[in-house]
């Protein structure tokens, strides 16, 4: 998610922040500036009332300008310069009228006013420099017009302190301006990011609703598919059973059959067996997909189960002139799995490896213990089946395209069933087919 900020947006939000700070300054002046007359009453008793009236008039003018500038949306900088100029005039006059022994107090009040502005204001540093120079200029003008003391005496009674504070305060707005500008930029980015997130959440909610609707449709289709498999499987079993029974009855009268008829009866028997095999595989897939499938978990030596499968398929491999290499651990490794399903996983993988391996090839069967996991591996260094074909075989009801001229054709149900069984029992099945041949790997956790 990438957020972009336009220059117009930055100027608009910066202006809002600047007016917020200006609002704080103006209202602080309105409430606190008349209180300075208390100092006048104590230290300038001869003319404190006149300056009290001047202060009241000053804040009324500032308030009027503040309302006017806000209504007309004029620059806040001009308002602040005018306001500070009016405060500086009064302060500069007092600094040149009061008795020398109270001069430090009024210089401190003037410096405090200048420092307050620079601590609160949000503008470019040049504006603060202009204000400071204006304050110094007013002090110089009224010194020449009103002061009864020489310059050295004025400087030694608070003038030096004022100049130091005024100079230091000019450094504050620069850092403050950069910090607040970064804050404004960050605030805009956060707000725009939140808007994008809200829109994305809305889009996600809409997509989730669409997914829920599609899921409900798929669930209904899956239910219909399972019902069809149940009905079709039941009917097909009855039909195949009738064919097998009728064929067996004919076999019992084989002495009355000719040679060709006996050959046809053999074809029927072989076809019926294949039909039964394919139907059982189809029903296996349906059962594995069912959420009600239960496993009979038991503890057994998994290497013994692998050896049992290996011996059962050894003669099948010899008939195809394939050399099976036994690298099965003799060390007992106990697991807690469903023995029947586990054996079926190994049976399906090894039988498919034999079926799709080339004549005079070598197929290695390896078991090992790696990081508290039992590892079963089949390594066929012959011609690769192809990763794409393996992907099709390990996905349910996908036909394996025969790219090597073999006469055998399979649905790949055995491999997809092996994958589902492994995952359901908490194991992991991986496979690979590349220039080095074909590789299958199954992992299960062992019991300590």
């Amino acid at each position: 998610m990438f957020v972009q900020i336009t220059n117009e947006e930055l100027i608009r939000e910066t202006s809002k922040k600047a007016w917020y700070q200006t609002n704080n300054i103006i209202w602080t002046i309105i409430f606190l500036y008349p209180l300075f007359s208390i100092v006048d009453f104590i230290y300038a008793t001869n003319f404190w009332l006149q300056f009290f009236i001047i202060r009241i008039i000053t804040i009324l003018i500032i308030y009027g300008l503040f309302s006017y500038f806000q209504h007309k949306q004029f620059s806040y900088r001009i308002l602040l310069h005018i306001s500070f100029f009016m405060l500086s005039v009064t302060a500069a006059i007092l600094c040149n009228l009061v008795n020398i022994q109270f001069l430090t107090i009024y210089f401190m009040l003037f410096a405090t006013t200048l420092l307050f502005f620079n601590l609160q204001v949000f503008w470019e540093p040049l504006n603060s420099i202009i204000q400071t120079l204006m304050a110094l200029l007013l002090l110089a003008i009224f010194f020449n017009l009103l002061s009864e003391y020489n310059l050295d005496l004025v400087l030694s009674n608070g003038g030096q302190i004022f100049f130091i504070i005024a100079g230091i305060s000019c450094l504050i707005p620069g850092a403050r301006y950069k910090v607040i500008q970064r804050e404004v930029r960050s605030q805009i980015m956060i707000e725009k990011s939140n808007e994008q997130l809200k829109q994305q959440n809305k889009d996600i909610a809409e997509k989730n609703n669409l997914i829920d609707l599609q899921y409900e449709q798929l669930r209904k289709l899956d239910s219909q598919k399972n019902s069809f498999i149940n009905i079709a499987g039941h009917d097909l079993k009855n039909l195949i059973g009738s064919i097998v029974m009728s064929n067996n009855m004919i076999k019992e009268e084989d002495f009355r059959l000719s040679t060709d008829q006996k050959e046809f009866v053999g074809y029927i028997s072989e076809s019926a067996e294949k039909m039964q095999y394919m139907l059982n595989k189809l029903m296996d897939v349906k059962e594995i997909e069912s959420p009600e499938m239960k496993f009979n978990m038991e503890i057994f030596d998994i290497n013994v189960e692998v050896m049992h499968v290996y011996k059962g398929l050894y003669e099948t491999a010899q008939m195809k002139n394939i050399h099976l290499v036994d690298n099965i651990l003799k060390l007992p490794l106990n697991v807690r799995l469903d023995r029947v399903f586990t054996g079926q996983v190994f049976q399906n993988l090894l039988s498919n490896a034999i079926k799709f391996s080339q004549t005079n090839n070598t197929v290695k069967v390896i078991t090992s213990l790696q990081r508290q996991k039992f590892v079963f591996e089949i390594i066929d260094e012959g011609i690769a089946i192809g990763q794409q074909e393996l992907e099709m075989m390990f996905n349910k009801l996908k036909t394996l395209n025969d790219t090597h001229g073999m006469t055998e054709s399979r649905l790949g149900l055995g491999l997809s069933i092996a994958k589902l069984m492994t995952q359901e029992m908490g194991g992991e099945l991986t496979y690979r087919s590349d220039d080095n041949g074909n590789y299958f790997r199954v992992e299960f956790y062992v019991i300590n």
Side-chain angles (χ1 to χ4, degrees):
M1 182 174 61
F2 183 72
V3 178
Q4 289 183 331
I5 302 175
T6 63
N7 192 44
E8 291 77 10
E9 289 175 326
L10 184 60
I11 293 174
R12 184 173 62 251
E13 293 300 321
T14 301
S15 178
K16 289 181 181 179
K17 185 69 175 179
W19 268 108
Y20 173 77
Q21 294 299 120
T22 301
N23 183 73
N24 292 339
I25 293 172
I26 297 300
W27 283 106
T28 302
I29 292 172
I30 290 172
F31 284 110
L32 296 183
Y33 190 59
L35 298 179
F36 284 14
S37 295
I38 298 174
V39 179
D40 297 340
F41 179 76
I42 298 173
Y43 299 108
T45 56
N46 295 331
F47 39 78
W48 75 270
L49 184 59
Q50 294 91 325
F51 277 93
F52 175 73
I53 296 172
I54 292 173
R55 294 184 196 278
I56 296 299
I57 295 173
T58 299
I59 63 173
L60 290 175
I61 295 173
I62 290 174
Y63 176 74
L65 290 172
F66 173 65
S67 301
Y68 181 73
F69 272 63
Q70 273 195 323
H71 179 69
K72 295 295 185 178
Q73 295 184 344
F74 290 157
S75 173
Y76 68 94
R77 297 175 181 85
I78 298 175
L79 173 63
L80 290 174
H81 279 302
I82 294 173
S83 300
F84 184 75
F85 175 78
M86 295 179 68
L87 300 179
S88 296
V89 169
T90 305
I93 292 173
L94 284 169
C95 286
N96 289 281
L97 284 181
V98 298
N99 192 287
I100 193 67
Q101 58 183 338
F102 305 129
L103 188 57
T104 302
I105 297 173
Y106 279 90
F107 268 123
M108 292 298 294
L109 283 177
F110 197 1
T112 302
T113 304
L114 181 60
L115 184 61
F116 165 75
F117 257 82
N118 289 327
L119 286 173
Q120 292 293 319
V121 77
F122 173 50
W123 61 11
E124 297 79 359
L126 178 62
N127 294 279
S128 292
I129 296 174
I130 293 173
Q131 277 194 350
T132 302
L133 293 176
M134 181 173 62
L136 295 176
L137 180 61
L138 289 172
L139 283 172
I141 292 172
F142 290 115
F143 174 79
N144 290 326
L145 294 177
L146 303 174
S147 181
E148 300 176 355
Y149 310 105
N150 58 47
L151 182 61
D152 293 338
L153 194 60
V154 171
L155 291 176
S156 62
N157 284 274
Q160 291 180 343
I161 298 176
F162 173 80
F163 294 143
I164 294 172
I165 295 176
I168 294 174
S169 66
C170 288
L171 304 176
I172 299 174
R176 179 176 174 78
Y177 185 77
K178 293 179 180 178
V179 170
I180 295 182
Q181 201 169 44
R182 281 199 298 267
E183 290 178 358
V184 170
R185 187 182 295 274
S186 300
Q187 182 180 353
I188 296 173
M189 292 184 66
I190 291 171
E191 290 176 354
K192 297 190 75 171
S193 299
N194 288 337
E195 289 298 323
Q196 288 188 3
L197 288 174
K198 288 179 182 178
Q199 185 61 41
Q200 289 178 353
N201 288 336
K202 183 180 178 181
D203 294 341
I204 291 172
E206 292 176 354
K207 290 178 181 179
N208 285 339
N209 292 334
L210 180 61
I211 290 171
D212 291 339
L213 180 61
Q214 292 176 342
Y215 171 77
E216 184 63 24
Q217 294 175 347
L218 289 174
R219 190 186 64 79
K220 291 179 180 178
L221 290 174
D222 186 66
S223 178
Q224 294 173 359
K225 181 261 295 180
N226 287 337
S227 298
F228 171 78
I229 291 177
N230 285 329
I231 296 171
H234 182 268
D235 292 343
L236 286 174
K237 279 186 177 181
N238 291 336
L239 291 173
I240 295 173
S242 298
I243 293 172
V244 172
M245 183 176 64
S246 300
N247 195 54
N248 288 337
M249 292 175 63
I250 295 174
K251 282 184 178 180
E252 292 177 358
E253 304 290 333
D254 60 349
F255 61 90
R256 299 170 57 182
L257 302 177
S258 65
T259 303
D260 290 340
Q261 289 172 333
K262 290 179 181 180
E263 185 177 355
F264 292 147
V265 169
Y267 288 153
I268 295 172
S269 178
E270 182 180 351
S271 297
E273 289 177 0
K274 288 183 178 181
M275 289 173 66
Q276 282 184 323
Y277 171 79
M278 295 179 66
L279 179 60
N280 289 333
K281 292 296 183 184
L282 180 63
M283 297 304 292
D284 284 345
V285 172
K286 184 262 173 187
E287 181 184 356
I288 289 171
E289 287 182 332
S290 172
E292 291 83 15
M293 185 181 65
K294 303 294 183 181
F295 289 109
N296 180 25
M297 299 303 226
E298 57 181 308
I299 298 175
F300 61 93
D301 183 358
I302 196 167
N303 279 321
V304 172
E305 194 65 30
V306 173
M307 182 59 71
H308 177 73
V309 172
Y310 175 86
K311 290 180 178 178
L313 292 172
Y314 187 79
E315 291 184 3
T316 304
Q318 282 189 326
M319 290 174 60
K320 198 172 177 179
N321 202 18
I322 293 174
H323 180 51
L324 280 183
V325 177
D326 168 16
N327 284 333
I328 301 172
L329 277 180
K330 302 304 183 284
L331 171 70
L333 292 178
N334 290 331
V335 295
R336 189 175 185 275
L337 301 169
D338 187 300
R339 185 193 295 267
V340 176
F341 279 106
T342 305
Q344 188 67 33
V345 169
F346 301 144
Q347 175 82 20
N348 289 358
L349 290 174
L350 187 54
S351 63
N352 274 277
I354 293 171
K355 288 174 186 176
F356 294 103
S357 184
Q358 297 77 37
T359 304
N360 298 321
N361 193 26
T362 298
V363 176
K364 298 178 182 178
V365 180
I366 305 170
T367 64
S368 59
L369 177 64
Q370 300 179 20
R371 297 181 179 179
Q372 285 300 106
K373 284 186 177 181
F374 165 80
V375 178
F376 170 83
E377 297 172 288
I378 296 176
I379 301 176
D380 177 5
E381 297 179 352
I383 299 176
I385 297 174
Q387 190 66 25
Q388 184 176 359
E389 285 76 9
L390 273 184
E391 294 289 347
M392 294 174 64
M393 293 171 67
F394 275 97
N395 287 280
K396 292 172 286 186
L397 305 178
K398 297 290 185 179
T399 304
L400 173 65
N401 295 323
D402 184 3
T403 58
H404 300 299
M406 294 184 295
T407 59
E408 297 185 31
S409 178
R410 295 292 182 268
L411 290 175
L413 291 178
L415 296 181
S416 61
I417 291 170
K419 183 178 179 181
L420 287 171
M421 287 179 176
T422 303
Q423 292 174 345
E424 289 292 331
M425 290 188 292
E428 183 179 1
L429 192 154
T430 55
Y431 48 88
R432 183 180 69 248
S433 182
D434 50 30
D435 294 339
N436 296 323
N438 308 302
Y439 176 77
F440 306 89
R441 179 188 178 101
V442 177
E443 296 180 8
F444 288 115
Y445 281 102
V446 301
I447 299 176
N448 291 335

